[in-house]
Amino acid sequence: MNPEPQLAVERLHARYVHALDADQLEDWPNFFTENGAYRIATAENEARGLPLPILYAEGRAMLRDRVQSLRHANIYEPQRYRHLMSSVLLEKLDDHHVRSVCNFLVVRIMENGEAMLFASGRYVDRIVLSREPLYEERVVICDSRRFDTLLAIPL
Amino acid sequence: MNPEPQLAVERLHARYVHALDADQLEDWPNFFTENGAYRIATAENEARGLPLPILYAEGRAMLRDRVQSLRHANIYEPQRYRHLMSSVLLEKLDDHHVRSVCNFLVVRIMENGEAMLFASGRYVDRIVLSREPLYEERVVICDSRRFDTLLAIPL
Amino acid sequence: MNPEPQLAVERLHARYVHALDADQLEDWPNFFTENGAYRIATAENEARGLPLPILYAEGRAMLRDRVQSLRHANIYEPQRYRHLMSSVLLEKLDDHHVRSVCNFLVVRIMENGEAMLFASGRYVDRIVLSREPLYEERVVICDSRRFDTLLAIPL
């Protein structure tokens, strides 16, 4: 595979991560195609083929709704996220689409300064290589099934 | 250095990491050359020049043996790994070989969902740039000398 | 953006990280231009526009002084760092300069082998794309305002 798709996809992933970590949630739907799907699942459920995502949203409109309800929800304790990502592995699907798998780790920082390992797992994506690549599907597969209510914020 | 070796090596590292994290241990020996060597050491021993690796295996046959014994061993508690990697720095050795240094961090997730920082350190590799690059030598230098029995699984 | 600046900047970041993690602090000033500036701030202060860095140094001479005083300081407990970095996002400023944003996470390993998540945040850099790229400014924005005295060592 020539370098261009690799770097273009890594750039998409980087922009996504920085938007979330900077709390620019309103930008989040724009990383998806108009009908793009977003799903959070656990490794356990994926391995068993259980179609029960922790969260599912399809289409930018639904993703925007999600952000809006987050903005209006009472998150009692302010927190910040920091995403680390690595090992982006691409597979060509056709001339305009790739499948991307990469690992992630998210640190959560509470307002008192306490930091903890919040989540780890992998992103499994179907990406359209338009001028600015976009997610047609982003599946977040978390290693642990332990989640608290704060999971409401996109990973 | 032109982009190709950098991306080719990062792709090798990514495939390696995803194979381990997906518990595809049988694929592990195939990332090495026929006589490829694998070694786990601690930063302490490396700094002192002590030739006492925690683990040493040379050649695909020995790596396969290692996987087989792992499969037959009693690992009482199922666990999952997640590797994060970064900062891949290449040095050209000759037209067909590079030395690669990169950092890693491994999170271990137990069956009850508990996640912990398991290991950190660096990979120091000698890689042959064949059509599909392979490890001639992979040395895993762990920062900490604290290890428990689960280290039996390759890093 | 063509691949070259991306890979050249990632290589600069990688060399920086490996120098720190290998305790080659004397090399640290050489990653900066002659008048290069280094600053550590907290996300909180950055968001409020408070110009109160935790640490500020400008010019190689001052960076060298910093290393010298570290070498002569009494660090009672030896420790080691491991940096993980990801999501390097470049923005072209002009033909010879880019702005780079990337995420980091630092693990600290104490002499007894205990490892902990020490710091997370992002690097915001202004880089000159000379033959060997250099930092004109490197700002380390830490997520947490909790720091102990060991922060004295550069991040």
Side-chain angles (χ1 to χ4, degrees):
Chain A
M1 187 171 285
N2 62 25
E4 287 76 18
Q6 183 75 33
L7 294 175
V9 166
E10 294 194 1
R11 188 173 163 84
L12 170 64
H13 293 334
R15 290 172 56 230
Y16 179 99
V17 152
H18 289 297
L20 291 188
D21 290 351
D23 192 36
Q24 295 162 350
L25 298 184
E26 283 70 17
D27 282 351
W28 178 59
N30 302 326
F31 296 110
F32 293 82
T33 58
E34 195 56 43
N35 301 311
Y38 176 79
R39 187 156 61 91
I40 301 182
T42 61
E44 206 177 4
N45 277 11
E46 285 290 305
R48 294 187 188 167
L50 298 180
L52 289 169
I54 296 175
L55 187 152
Y56 184 80
E58 190 174 340
R60 280 189 185 167
M62 203 166 151
L63 294 167
R64 274 188 214 107
D65 280 356
R66 174 110 201 124
V67 171
Q68 277 226 312
S69 41
L70 275 173
R71 289 299 190 204
H72 292 104
N74 269 322
I75 307 273
Y76 19 92
E77 207 178 353
Q79 78 275 338
R80 180 189 305 281
Y81 287 88
R82 186 62 52 196
H83 287 68
L84 275 287
M85 270 191 34
S86 86
S87 311
V88 179
L89 194 57
L90 296 195
E91 182 193 345
K92 185 179 172 173
L93 297 175
D94 61 40
D95 280 356
H96 303 290
H97 296 85
V98 289
R99 181 185 149 98
S100 158
V101 180
C102 64
N103 282 352
F104 72 86
L105 180 155
V106 181
V107 174
R108 191 172 72 189
I109 303 99
M110 305 311 288
E111 208 178 19
N112 66 4
E114 203 186 332
M116 58 168 291
L117 174 53
F118 177 60
S120 68
R122 66 202 145 104
Y123 289 115
V124 180
D125 307 309
R126 185 183 157 90
I127 293 165
V128 56
L129 297 174
S130 33
R131 197 178 49 81
E132 194 74 84
L134 296 169
Y135 299 112
E136 282 189 353
E137 186 185 58
R138 161 146 275 201
V139 186
V140 189
I141 305 175
C142 294
D143 289 324
S144 172
R145 60 174 186 278
R146 280 201 193 170
F147 283 116
D148 62 26
T149 55
L150 288 166
L151 188 65
I153 286 173
L155 283 172
Chain B
M1 189 170 284
N2 63 25
E4 287 76 19
Q6 182 74 33
L7 294 175
V9 166
E10 294 194 1
R11 188 174 164 83
L12 170 65
H13 292 334
R15 290 171 57 230
Y16 179 99
V17 152
H18 288 299
L20 290 188
D21 291 352
D23 192 35
Q24 295 162 351
L25 299 185
E26 282 71 16
D27 282 352
W28 179 59
N30 301 326
F31 295 112
F32 292 82
T33 58
E34 195 56 44
N35 300 312
Y38 176 78
R39 187 155 62 91
I40 301 182
T42 62
E44 207 178 4
N45 278 10
E46 284 289 306
R48 293 187 190 167
L50 298 181
L52 289 168
I54 296 176
L55 188 151
Y56 184 80
E58 191 174 340
R60 279 188 185 167
M62 203 166 151
L63 294 167
R64 275 188 215 108
D65 279 355
R66 174 109 201 123
V67 172
Q68 276 225 313
S69 43
L70 275 172
R71 288 301 190 203
H72 292 105
N74 269 323
I75 307 274
Y76 21 91
E77 207 178 355
Q79 78 276 339
R80 180 188 306 282
Y81 286 87
R82 186 62 53 197
H83 287 68
L84 275 287
M85 270 191 34
S86 86
S87 310
V88 179
L89 195 56
L90 296 195
E91 183 193 344
K92 185 179 172 172
L93 297 176
D94 60 42
D95 280 357
H96 303 288
H97 297 84
V98 289
R99 182 184 148 99
S100 159
V101 181
C102 64
N103 282 351
F104 72 86
L105 179 156
V106 181
V107 174
R108 190 171 73 188
I109 304 99
M110 305 311 288
E111 206 178 20
N112 66 3
E114 203 185 332
M116 59 168 292
L117 174 53
F118 176 60
S120 68
R122 67 203 144 103
Y123 289 115
V124 180
D125 306 310
R126 184 182 158 92
I127 293 166
V128 56
L129 297 173
S130 35
R131 198 178 48 82
E132 195 75 83
L134 296 169
Y135 299 113
E136 282 189 351
E137 186 184 57
R138 161 146 273 200
V139 185
V140 189
I141 305 174
C142 293
D143 289 324
S144 172
R145 61 174 185 278
R146 279 201 194 170
F147 284 117
D148 61 26
T149 55
L150 288 165
L151 188 66
I153 287 173
L155 283 172
Chain C
M1 187 170 285
N2 62 24
E4 286 76 21
Q6 183 75 33
L7 293 175
V9 166
E10 294 193 2
R11 188 173 164 85
L12 170 65
H13 292 335
R15 290 171 57 230
Y16 179 98
V17 153
H18 288 298
L20 291 189
D21 291 351
D23 193 35
Q24 295 161 349
L25 300 184
E26 282 71 15
D27 282 350
W28 177 60
N30 302 326
F31 295 111
F32 293 81
T33 57
E34 195 57 43
N35 300 311
Y38 175 79
R39 186 155 61 90
I40 301 182
T42 62
E44 206 177 5
N45 277 12
E46 284 290 305
R48 293 185 188 168
L50 298 181
L52 289 168
I54 296 176
L55 187 150
Y56 184 79
E58 192 174 340
R60 280 190 184 166
M62 204 167 152
L63 294 167
R64 274 188 216 108
D65 280 355
R66 175 112 201 121
V67 171
Q68 277 225 313
S69 41
L70 275 173
R71 289 299 190 204
H72 292 104
N74 268 324
I75 307 272
Y76 19 92
E77 207 178 354
Q79 77 276 338
R80 180 189 305 282
Y81 286 88
R82 186 61 54 196
H83 286 70
L84 275 288
M85 272 191 31
S86 86
S87 309
V88 179
L89 195 55
L90 296 195
E91 184 192 342
K92 186 180 171 171
L93 297 176
D94 61 39
D95 280 357
H96 302 289
H97 297 85
V98 289
R99 181 185 149 98
S100 158
V101 181
C102 64
N103 282 351
F104 72 86
L105 179 155
V106 181
V107 174
R108 191 173 70 187
I109 303 98
M110 305 311 288
E111 208 179 17
N112 66 3
E114 204 185 331
M116 58 167 293
L117 173 54
F118 177 61
S120 68
R122 66 203 145 101
Y123 290 115
V124 180
D125 307 310
R126 185 183 157 91
I127 293 165
V128 57
L129 297 173
S130 34
R131 198 179 47 82
E132 194 76 82
L134 296 169
Y135 299 112
E136 282 189 354
E137 185 186 56
R138 160 146 274 201
V139 185
V140 189
I141 305 175
C142 292
D143 289 324
S144 172
R145 61 173 185 279
R146 279 200 194 170
F147 284 116
D148 61 26
T149 54
L150 289 166
L151 189 66
I153 287 173
L155 283 171

